[in-house]
Amino acid sequence: MTALTERTEVRPSSPSARSPLGFAGLIVLLVLTTLFVIGLAVSFGSVRIPVGDVWAIVVNRMLPGVFDVWWSQARESIVVGSRLPRALTAATVGAALALSGAVAQLVTRNPLADPYLLGVSSGAGFGVVIVTVLGFGAGMLGVFTVPVAAFVGAMVPLFLSLAIGGRYPQPTAIILVGVALAQVFSALITFSLLVLADERQLGSVMHWLAGGFGDARWSTMIFPVSALATVGTAMLWSARRIDVLQTGDDGAAALGMNVPRFRIVHLLGVSLLAGAAVSVAGGIGFIGLLVPHLAGYVVGIRAARLLPVAALLGAVAMVGADTAARSISSSLEVPVGVVTALVGAPLFVWMLQRRYRRAER
């Protein structure tokens, strides 16, 4: 987890998007890119399916009779039953993490904030340990057992952070409590795995902690999709008020904003989005930290532009990472969190070097 004990002042960007396409054109391009990447992800696998066939199958499922069927039933089952829900889940989780990461960075005015700053990832991991290792509620909800356990576990450090840190006037108190709780839950996970877990349970939990979409189903998409549709829309709706916060706490308060309450509500939304994403994908890092910076390079830091661009870039990045994870080895699926870390960490360091070199000039 990232400790957020310092504030970084952020200068407002110009109102115009930096993209030569214009903001509307950029959004259209990103939507088309997202659809293209999803099509490639569904196409790729042990059985290669042409992208044209993929979209024909999808359209024909939505509007029966549009095409004369030329594909086999087996291919349709692969597309609709397995690969498409996986790709869509990856896109939804990527959008949720990138959007929540962007909001976290804006409302804390700290470029190192990420969606897990209140300990939701560690709490979710411990929820999975309770079900997998300790056996409480195992199998009770069928395929929903692990996602529900992860989501409930993610909410525990969130509400403890609000209950404990919310007693103090400084907003950083909530964040610091969240960081401390993340370490506590990480320690509980480690203790449970080392002392209580057998080899099978250890492998299962470690695979979940590394992150991935191997268990993605149409039914389990309900968690990230619902969170993105409700919490994500609310965040986009409050973009102008988020921009007001960039003038500083005193300036925002002078304009009539209740800054502590506004920040707490949005950190709650960040954690809800992250918790829903983690519940189906595990702890996937760097998407929520890195993608908002990439979006900022394209459109600046105005929330009304940054948030939707970050969400779409996050969807593209996550689908790409999941496809790469499935492609590295024919006999073993690499956890998506490994791919995002190996690619994201060097890229993030390079971006920091560029920023600091520019500041020195």
Side-chain angles (χ1 to χ4, degrees):
M1 301 301 109
T2 304
L4 303 177
T5 55
E6 297 182 2
R7 294 294 179 84
T8 302
E9 293 298 327
V10 183
R11 298 176 183 176
S13 65
S14 62
S16 60
R18 299 177 185 177
S19 169
L21 295 173
F23 182 67
L26 178 63
I27 292 296
V28 172
L29 177 62
L30 287 175
V31 170
L32 294 177
T33 302
T34 303
L35 294 175
F36 176 73
V37 171
I38 289 174
L40 284 181
V42 176
S43 169
F44 190 83
S46 57
V47 177
R48 299 295 296 270
I49 303 174
V51 176
D53 289 7
V54 168
W55 289 116
I57 292 170
V58 172
V59 172
N60 201 62
R61 270 299 183 102
M62 298 172 63
L63 301 171
V66 172
F67 297 104
D68 292 328
V69 176
W70 66 83
W71 55 85
S72 66
Q73 186 63 40
R75 288 197 169 190
E76 183 169 344
S77 297
I78 292 173
V79 170
V80 178
S82 176
R83 294 183 188 173
L84 185 59
R86 176 170 182 154
L88 292 177
T89 300
T92 304
V93 167
L97 290 178
L99 176 61
S100 57
V103 172
Q105 292 172 11
L106 289 173
V107 299
T108 62
R109 301 205 307 279
N110 192 311
L112 298 180
D114 71 5
Y116 307 137
L117 78 172
L118 294 185
V120 295
S121 181
S122 298
F126 188 62
V128 173
V129 166
I130 289 176
V131 170
T132 305
V133 178
L134 302 182
F136 294 120
M140 182 183 299
L141 301 175
V143 296
F144 293 101
T145 300
V146 170
V148 169
F151 184 76
V152 172
M155 295 302 100
V156 172
L158 167 61
F159 288 112
L160 285 176
S161 299
L162 295 176
I164 299 172
R167 299 178 180 180
Y168 304 98
Q170 296 83 3
T172 52
I174 296 175
I175 299 173
L176 293 175
V177 171
V179 171
L181 289 171
Q183 298 304 313
V184 170
F185 281 100
S186 294
L188 290 173
I189 292 172
T190 302
F191 175 82
S192 300
L193 294 179
L194 291 177
V195 177
L196 303 174
D198 58 31
E199 186 174 335
R200 180 188 61 80
Q201 294 168 339
L202 177 63
S204 177
V205 174
M206 291 302 296
H207 184 78
W208 186 92
L209 291 174
F213 300 96
D215 297 327
R217 303 287 186 273
W218 288 109
S219 56
T220 56
M221 284 182 61
I222 186 173
F223 296 103
V225 169
S226 298
L228 187 61
T230 55
V231 180
T233 300
M235 288 178 172
L236 293 174
W237 187 260
S238 66
R240 291 188 177 181
R241 299 192 70 197
I242 294 176
D243 285 333
V244 172
L245 196 60
Q246 304 312 302
T247 63
D249 288 7
D250 293 338
L255 293 174
M257 179 183 293
N258 186 329
V259 175
R261 184 176 65 186
F262 183 83
R263 183 173 283 119
I264 289 173
V265 168
H266 280 73
L267 289 178
L268 175 62
V270 164
S271 297
L272 287 172
L273 266 181
V278 168
S279 70
V280 297
I284 298 177
F286 277 98
I287 294 294
L289 175 63
L290 177 63
V291 171
H293 289 274
L294 294 175
Y297 276 116
V298 178
V299 295
I301 63 166
R302 278 187 54 187
R305 296 172 179 269
L306 176 66
L307 298 186
V309 170
L312 290 169
L313 285 176
V316 171
M318 189 66 84
V319 175
D322 181 51
T323 305
R326 294 190 288 116
S327 309
I328 293 175
S329 173
S330 58
S331 59
L332 176 68
E333 183 174 314
V334 177
V336 179
V338 172
V339 176
T340 58
L342 289 176
V343 175
L347 185 57
F348 187 67
V349 170
W350 174 76
M351 290 174 61
L352 288 178
Q353 288 180 337
R354 283 198 59 185
R355 171 173 291 185
Y356 288 128
R357 286 175 182 173
R358 187 179 301 172
E360 291 173 356
R361 292 176 182 174

